[in-house]
Amino acid sequence: MSSVTYLVELCRDYVGWWQDGMLEKLDAVDCIQRHAMLAGIVDEIGQDEVQRLMGEAFAPVDDLPSDYASQLVMQWELADPRDRWRWTGEIPPAQQVAAIEKPPHRTAQSTLDAFHFVMSLGDPERLAAWLRNHPDAAAALLETLEAA
């Protein structure tokens, strides 16, 4: 097997491993270069030829338009109604703010216990004062009275 054939097959293997996600492109190229140096291929055919063969091996994979990234962003934004206006000239959609629901008030057990204690004292004025100091709990406390 000639040195060039060996290098081309080596490049094909490393390109495949890179495409499969097993190697980063930089690591694949570094490995090919190291193999070429250790096998004496660089000395035999020269560094420029080694680089040309590596470039040919990776070229079909890299055959993307120079503005590929901006085309991809444009496709994503056109598909998203929130960003579509950037490309179509439409008026941007109004910002939608998620409604924050206030959780229902739950009276703490300690408040219920305190209420029952004040009730047990039998002093209506003290009970009225206590209820004024606990306005959020008043409705729930009255429900416990009605349930009892």
Side-chain angles (χ1 to χ4, degrees):
M1 173 184 305
S2 75
S3 299
V4 173
T5 305
Y6 171 74
L7 183 61
V8 168
E9 288 181 13
L10 186 68
C11 288
R12 188 176 308 126
D13 289 341
Y14 275 96
V15 167
W17 293 328
W18 168 62
Q19 289 174 331
D20 290 342
M22 296 171 64
L23 286 173
E24 295 292 323
K25 184 176 183 180
L26 181 63
D27 294 330
V29 170
D30 285 347
C31 288
I32 295 168
Q33 178 65 39
R34 183 79 174 145
H35 280 290
M37 289 172 56
L38 291 174
I41 299 171
V42 173
D43 294 334
E44 184 180 330
I45 64 174
Q47 181 62 40
D48 290 342
E49 184 64 12
V50 169
Q51 291 290 319
R52 187 187 69 74
L53 292 171
M54 284 194 290
E56 284 179 5
F58 284 92
V61 178
D62 289 340
D63 196 22
L64 297 174
S66 62
D67 64 341
Y68 178 72
S70 62
Q71 288 179 17
L72 193 58
V73 169
M74 180 180 73
Q75 290 171 6
W76 289 340
E77 289 180 342
L78 283 170
D80 188 339
R82 297 168 299 178
D83 294 325
R84 182 178 178 79
W85 63 273
R86 297 174 195 255
W87 300 94
T88 62
E90 300 168 1
I91 297 174
Q95 290 278 338
Q96 303 226 350
V97 179
I100 299 174
E101 293 184 27
K102 184 178 178 183
H105 178 73
R106 183 178 174 278
T107 305
Q109 185 61 46
S110 59
T111 304
L112 292 172
D113 294 341
F115 172 71
H116 289 291
F117 173 75
V118 174
M119 283 283 299
S120 70
L121 296 175
D123 184 357
E125 289 179 20
R126 186 167 184 183
L127 179 60
W130 191 91
L131 286 171
R132 279 193 299 275
N133 289 331
H134 299 83
D136 289 341
L141 296 172
L142 292 177
E143 286 178 17
T144 61
L145 281 179
E146 292 172 0

